[in-house]
Amino acid sequence: MKDKDNIMCGLGCEIVMYEKVYQINKNIILDSISKHATSIKKYAFILHNKDNEKDNHYHVFLQFKQTRYFDEIASWFNVNINDIEKLKSRYNNAVLYLVHKHQPEKYQYDAKDVISNFDFTSLVNDDDIKSVRIDFDLFPITHYKDIYKYDAKK
């Protein structure tokens, strides 16, 4: 995997933290979020402890007020940089993975178990969120050629 040091993560990311590896709990996550609240626009996370194939782990989704770097985020949460992924879809669509809304074959977590700074339950119940699209607020176009790449995928 390509080294992520000094590489921009962008305006949104997902962190996966295994309880056994990081000795993590919701209070530690909330503490890290509160220490960096001036940089975080939205957050949502949950403990996945009912997935059959994996050890207990937290999924943490973050949306930032401005572009951030992988190594910076890793230091905030004291995690390995490779446990952070740049969001590849709209933030609202990505966070629905927390409850497996679009993965009916997986355990369906209750929206009330998600800890967030926005109304996650309303988001889950929003029937307009159906497909994965690029959110240009999260991933701004920097070159006109990017518009053509996006149009070609429609």
Side-chain angles (χ1 to χ4, degrees), residues 43-90:
Y43 69 84
F45 68 93
I46 190 171
L47 172 64
H48 277 192
N49 58 356
K50 295 175 179 74
D51 296 350
N52 292 330
E53 72 282 354
K54 296 185 178 179
D55 292 332
N56 293 351
H57 56 284
Y58 285 90
H59 285 274
V60 180
F61 286 88
L62 302 171
Q63 185 179 47
F64 306 112
K65 295 177 182 176
Q66 63 185 41
T67 300
R68 295 290 170 193
Y69 291 84
F70 283 103
D71 54 351
E72 177 183 25
I73 300 160
S75 71
W76 292 357
F77 291 89
N78 197 26
V79 298
N80 184 307
I81 203 165
N82 291 323
D83 291 330
I84 304 169
E85 290 294 327
K86 182 176 182 175
L87 293 185
K88 295 173 181 72
S89 67
R90 289 184 149 209

Side-chain angles (χ1 to χ4, degrees), residues 133-145:
R133 294 187 324 121
I134 294 173
D135 184 346
F136 292 113
D137 291 333
L138 283 177
F139 304 104
I141 294 174
T142 54
H143 302 291
Y144 288 110
K145 66 181 179 181

Side-chain angles (χ1 to χ4, degrees), residues 7-109:
I7 294 178
M8 280 195 277
C9 177
L11 293 172
C13 74
E14 175 190 12
I15 308 168
V16 178
M17 294 181 265
Y18 286 87
E19 279 186 319
K20 288 180 183 177
V21 174
Y22 292 113
Q23 302 298 305
I24 197 85
N25 61 49
K26 73 176 185 178
N27 293 327
I28 293 170
I29 295 169
L30 284 169
D31 186 52
S32 295
I33 289 170
S34 70
K35 286 179 183 174
H36 303 285
T38 57
S39 300
I40 298 171
K41 183 177 179 181
K42 289 184 184 179
Y43 69 84
F45 68 93
I46 190 171
L47 172 64
H48 277 192
N49 58 356
K50 295 175 179 74
D51 296 350
N52 292 330
E53 72 282 354
K54 296 185 178 179
D55 292 332
N56 293 351
H57 56 284
Y58 285 90
H59 285 274
V60 180
F61 286 88
L62 302 171
Q63 185 179 47
F64 306 112
K65 295 177 182 176
Q66 63 185 41
T67 300
R68 295 290 170 193
Y69 291 84
F70 283 103
D71 54 351
E72 177 183 25
I73 300 160
S75 71
W76 292 357
F77 291 89
N78 197 26
V79 298
N80 184 307
I81 203 165
N82 291 323
D83 291 330
I84 304 169
E85 290 294 327
K86 182 176 182 175
L87 293 185
K88 295 173 181 72
S89 67
R90 289 184 149 209
Y91 183 83
N92 286 351
N93 201 315
V95 297
L96 293 177
Y97 181 78
L98 294 173
V99 293
H100 295 149
K101 178 167 178 157
H102 298 301
Q103 293 83 21
E105 71 284 0
K106 293 187 174 193
Y107 181 85
Q108 299 296 294
Y109 289 93

